Short mmCIF file of all heavy atoms in Angstrom, two decimals:
data_model
loop_
_atom_site.label_atom_id
_atom_site.label_comp_id
_atom_site.label_asym_id
_atom_site.label_seq_id
_atom_site.Cartn_x
_atom_site.Cartn_y
_atom_site.Cartn_z
N GLY A 1 0.83 -1.19 0.00
CA GLY A 1 0.00 0.00 0.00
C GLY A 1 0.86 1.24 0.00
O GLY A 1 2.06 1.19 0.32
N LYS A 2 0.25 2.39 -0.40
CA LYS A 2 1.02 3.63 -0.47
C LYS A 2 0.08 4.82 -0.34
O LYS A 2 -1.07 4.77 -0.79
CB LYS A 2 1.79 3.70 -1.79
CG LYS A 2 2.89 4.74 -1.81
CD LYS A 2 3.72 4.65 -3.08
CE LYS A 2 4.88 5.65 -3.03
NZ LYS A 2 5.68 5.62 -4.27
N THR A 3 0.57 5.88 0.30
CA THR A 3 -0.18 7.13 0.42
C THR A 3 0.74 8.29 0.09
O THR A 3 1.96 8.13 -0.02
CB THR A 3 -0.76 7.34 1.83
OG1 THR A 3 0.32 7.63 2.73
CG2 THR A 3 -1.50 6.10 2.32
N THR A 4 0.15 9.47 -0.05
CA THR A 4 0.94 10.67 -0.26
C THR A 4 0.44 11.76 0.70
O THR A 4 -0.25 11.46 1.66
CB THR A 4 0.90 11.11 -1.74
OG1 THR A 4 1.83 12.18 -1.93
CG2 THR A 4 -0.50 11.55 -2.17
N THR A 5 0.79 13.00 0.44
CA THR A 5 0.44 14.08 1.37
C THR A 5 -0.37 15.15 0.66
O THR A 5 -0.54 15.10 -0.57
CB THR A 5 1.70 14.68 2.02
OG1 THR A 5 1.34 15.54 3.09
CG2 THR A 5 2.54 15.43 1.01
N PHE A 6 -0.87 16.13 1.38
CA PHE A 6 -1.69 17.18 0.80
C PHE A 6 -1.79 18.36 1.76
O PHE A 6 -1.50 18.25 2.95
CB PHE A 6 -3.11 16.69 0.47
CG PHE A 6 -3.89 16.23 1.68
CD1 PHE A 6 -4.61 17.14 2.45
CD2 PHE A 6 -3.91 14.89 2.05
CE1 PHE A 6 -5.31 16.73 3.56
CE2 PHE A 6 -4.61 14.47 3.17
CZ PHE A 6 -5.32 15.40 3.93
N GLN A 7 -2.25 19.49 1.22
CA GLN A 7 -2.68 20.64 2.02
C GLN A 7 -4.08 21.03 1.58
O GLN A 7 -4.46 20.85 0.42
CB GLN A 7 -1.72 21.82 1.84
CG GLN A 7 -0.38 21.63 2.52
CD GLN A 7 0.51 22.85 2.41
OE1 GLN A 7 1.46 22.87 1.65
NE2 GLN A 7 0.18 23.88 3.19
N SER A 8 -4.86 21.55 2.52
CA SER A 8 -6.26 21.90 2.25
C SER A 8 -6.36 23.30 1.66
O SER A 8 -5.49 24.15 1.88
CB SER A 8 -7.08 21.81 3.54
OG SER A 8 -7.07 20.49 4.04
N ASP A 9 -7.45 23.54 0.91
CA ASP A 9 -7.68 24.82 0.27
C ASP A 9 -8.35 25.80 1.24
O ASP A 9 -9.37 25.48 1.86
CB ASP A 9 -8.55 24.62 -0.97
CG ASP A 9 -7.80 23.87 -2.06
OD1 ASP A 9 -6.89 24.45 -2.65
OD2 ASP A 9 -8.12 22.68 -2.30
N SER A 10 -7.81 27.01 1.31
CA SER A 10 -8.21 27.98 2.33
C SER A 10 -9.69 28.37 2.25
O SER A 10 -10.38 28.45 3.27
CB SER A 10 -7.34 29.24 2.23
OG SER A 10 -6.00 28.94 2.55
N SER A 11 -10.19 28.61 1.03
CA SER A 11 -11.58 29.07 0.92
C SER A 11 -12.55 27.98 1.36
O SER A 11 -13.60 28.27 1.96
CB SER A 11 -11.88 29.50 -0.51
OG SER A 11 -11.66 28.44 -1.42
N LEU A 12 -12.19 26.73 1.12
CA LEU A 12 -13.04 25.62 1.56
C LEU A 12 -12.96 25.47 3.08
O LEU A 12 -13.98 25.22 3.74
CB LEU A 12 -12.63 24.33 0.86
CG LEU A 12 -13.52 23.11 1.06
CD1 LEU A 12 -14.98 23.42 0.74
CD2 LEU A 12 -13.02 21.94 0.22
N VAL A 13 -11.78 25.63 3.64
CA VAL A 13 -11.63 25.59 5.10
C VAL A 13 -12.48 26.67 5.75
O VAL A 13 -13.18 26.42 6.74
CB VAL A 13 -10.15 25.75 5.48
CG1 VAL A 13 -10.00 25.89 7.00
CG2 VAL A 13 -9.33 24.56 4.99
N ASP A 14 -12.46 27.86 5.19
CA ASP A 14 -13.26 28.96 5.73
C ASP A 14 -14.75 28.63 5.69
O ASP A 14 -15.50 28.93 6.64
CB ASP A 14 -13.00 30.24 4.95
CG ASP A 14 -11.58 30.78 5.16
OD1 ASP A 14 -10.93 30.36 6.13
OD2 ASP A 14 -11.15 31.60 4.33
N ALA A 15 -15.19 27.98 4.60
CA ALA A 15 -16.61 27.62 4.48
C ALA A 15 -17.01 26.60 5.54
O ALA A 15 -18.11 26.67 6.11
CB ALA A 15 -16.89 27.07 3.08
N ILE A 16 -16.13 25.66 5.84
CA ILE A 16 -16.44 24.64 6.85
C ILE A 16 -16.47 25.26 8.23
O ILE A 16 -17.34 24.93 9.05
CB ILE A 16 -15.41 23.49 6.77
CG1 ILE A 16 -15.57 22.74 5.45
CG2 ILE A 16 -15.57 22.54 7.95
CD1 ILE A 16 -14.38 21.92 5.07
N VAL A 17 -15.54 26.16 8.52
CA VAL A 17 -15.56 26.85 9.81
C VAL A 17 -16.89 27.57 10.00
O VAL A 17 -17.52 27.48 11.07
CB VAL A 17 -14.38 27.84 9.91
CG1 VAL A 17 -14.53 28.73 11.14
CG2 VAL A 17 -13.05 27.08 9.97
N GLN A 18 -17.34 28.28 8.98
CA GLN A 18 -18.60 29.01 9.07
C GLN A 18 -19.77 28.05 9.25
O GLN A 18 -20.66 28.28 10.09
CB GLN A 18 -18.80 29.85 7.81
CG GLN A 18 -20.07 30.70 7.82
CD GLN A 18 -20.19 31.56 6.57
OE1 GLN A 18 -19.23 31.74 5.84
NE2 GLN A 18 -21.39 32.10 6.34
N ALA A 19 -19.78 26.96 8.47
CA ALA A 19 -20.88 26.00 8.57
C ALA A 19 -20.89 25.32 9.94
O ALA A 19 -21.94 25.17 10.57
CB ALA A 19 -20.76 24.95 7.47
N ALA A 20 -19.71 24.89 10.41
CA ALA A 20 -19.64 24.18 11.69
C ALA A 20 -20.09 25.07 12.84
O ALA A 20 -20.77 24.61 13.77
CB ALA A 20 -18.22 23.69 11.93
N ASN A 21 -19.76 26.34 12.78
CA ASN A 21 -20.17 27.25 13.85
C ASN A 21 -21.68 27.47 13.89
O ASN A 21 -22.20 27.95 14.91
CB ASN A 21 -19.45 28.59 13.68
CG ASN A 21 -18.06 28.58 14.26
OD1 ASN A 21 -17.82 28.02 15.33
ND2 ASN A 21 -17.10 29.18 13.56
N SER A 22 -22.37 27.11 12.83
CA SER A 22 -23.82 27.27 12.81
C SER A 22 -24.57 26.01 13.24
O SER A 22 -25.79 26.02 13.33
CB SER A 22 -24.28 27.66 11.39
OG SER A 22 -24.16 26.56 10.49
N VAL A 23 -23.85 24.93 13.51
CA VAL A 23 -24.47 23.64 13.85
C VAL A 23 -24.60 23.52 15.36
O VAL A 23 -23.63 23.70 16.10
CB VAL A 23 -23.64 22.47 13.27
CG1 VAL A 23 -24.16 21.14 13.79
CG2 VAL A 23 -23.66 22.51 11.75
N VAL A 24 -25.79 23.18 15.80
CA VAL A 24 -26.04 22.94 17.22
C VAL A 24 -25.16 21.78 17.70
O VAL A 24 -24.96 20.80 16.98
CB VAL A 24 -27.53 22.62 17.45
CG1 VAL A 24 -27.80 22.26 18.92
CG2 VAL A 24 -28.41 23.79 17.02
N ASP A 25 -24.64 21.90 18.90
CA ASP A 25 -23.80 20.90 19.56
C ASP A 25 -22.34 20.96 19.13
O ASP A 25 -21.51 20.23 19.68
CB ASP A 25 -24.32 19.47 19.38
CG ASP A 25 -25.68 19.26 20.04
OD1 ASP A 25 -25.94 19.91 21.07
OD2 ASP A 25 -26.48 18.47 19.50
N VAL A 26 -21.99 21.79 18.15
CA VAL A 26 -20.58 22.03 17.87
C VAL A 26 -20.09 23.08 18.87
O VAL A 26 -20.61 24.19 18.93
CB VAL A 26 -20.36 22.51 16.42
CG1 VAL A 26 -18.91 22.97 16.23
CG2 VAL A 26 -20.68 21.39 15.44
N GLU A 27 -19.09 22.71 19.65
CA GLU A 27 -18.61 23.58 20.72
C GLU A 27 -17.28 24.26 20.38
O GLU A 27 -17.02 25.38 20.84
CB GLU A 27 -18.45 22.77 22.01
CG GLU A 27 -19.77 22.17 22.49
CD GLU A 27 -19.58 21.20 23.64
OE1 GLU A 27 -18.40 20.94 24.00
OE2 GLU A 27 -20.58 20.68 24.17
N THR A 28 -16.44 23.58 19.61
CA THR A 28 -15.12 24.10 19.28
C THR A 28 -14.84 23.85 17.81
O THR A 28 -15.07 22.74 17.32
CB THR A 28 -14.02 23.41 20.12
OG1 THR A 28 -14.34 23.52 21.50
CG2 THR A 28 -12.66 24.03 19.85
N VAL A 29 -14.36 24.87 17.11
CA VAL A 29 -13.98 24.71 15.71
C VAL A 29 -12.53 25.17 15.55
O VAL A 29 -12.16 26.27 15.94
CB VAL A 29 -14.89 25.53 14.77
CG1 VAL A 29 -14.47 25.34 13.32
CG2 VAL A 29 -16.34 25.12 14.96
N VAL A 30 -11.71 24.30 15.00
CA VAL A 30 -10.30 24.58 14.71
C VAL A 30 -10.15 24.65 13.20
O VAL A 30 -10.67 23.79 12.48
CB VAL A 30 -9.38 23.49 15.29
CG1 VAL A 30 -7.93 23.74 14.92
CG2 VAL A 30 -9.56 23.40 16.80
N ASP A 31 -9.43 25.64 12.70
CA ASP A 31 -9.34 25.75 11.25
C ASP A 31 -8.36 24.74 10.66
O ASP A 31 -8.70 24.03 9.72
CB ASP A 31 -9.02 27.18 10.80
CG ASP A 31 -7.75 27.72 11.45
OD1 ASP A 31 -7.17 27.04 12.31
OD2 ASP A 31 -7.35 28.84 11.08
N ARG A 32 -7.14 24.65 11.19
CA ARG A 32 -6.14 23.76 10.60
C ARG A 32 -5.28 23.10 11.68
O ARG A 32 -4.95 23.72 12.68
CB ARG A 32 -5.18 24.53 9.67
CG ARG A 32 -5.82 25.11 8.42
CD ARG A 32 -4.82 25.96 7.66
NE ARG A 32 -5.40 26.54 6.48
CZ ARG A 32 -5.41 25.98 5.27
NH1 ARG A 32 -4.84 24.80 5.10
NH2 ARG A 32 -5.97 26.59 4.24
N THR A 33 -4.86 21.86 11.40
CA THR A 33 -3.85 21.20 12.22
C THR A 33 -3.26 20.06 11.42
O THR A 33 -3.93 19.48 10.55
CB THR A 33 -4.44 20.69 13.55
OG1 THR A 33 -3.38 20.25 14.41
CG2 THR A 33 -5.40 19.52 13.33
#
């Protein structure tokens, strides 16, 4: 088996942060790690 690496796209990360913050029961949102 084999895998590679990647980095996430900023505009999509921003959209997820905004969406997650609007969801009930989401308490903490981290943008990147």
Side-chain angles (χ1 to χ4, degrees):
K2 196 173 183 182
T3 71
T4 188
T5 191
F6 62 86
Q7 287 184 254
S8 298
D9 292 289
S10 295
S11 59
L12 188 53
V13 173
D14 292 343
I16 293 161
V17 170
Q18 182 177 345
N21 277 319
S22 71
V23 172
V24 176
D25 296 328
V26 171
E27 298 171 356
T28 306
V29 180
V30 176
D31 55 355
R32 294 174 181 270
T33 190

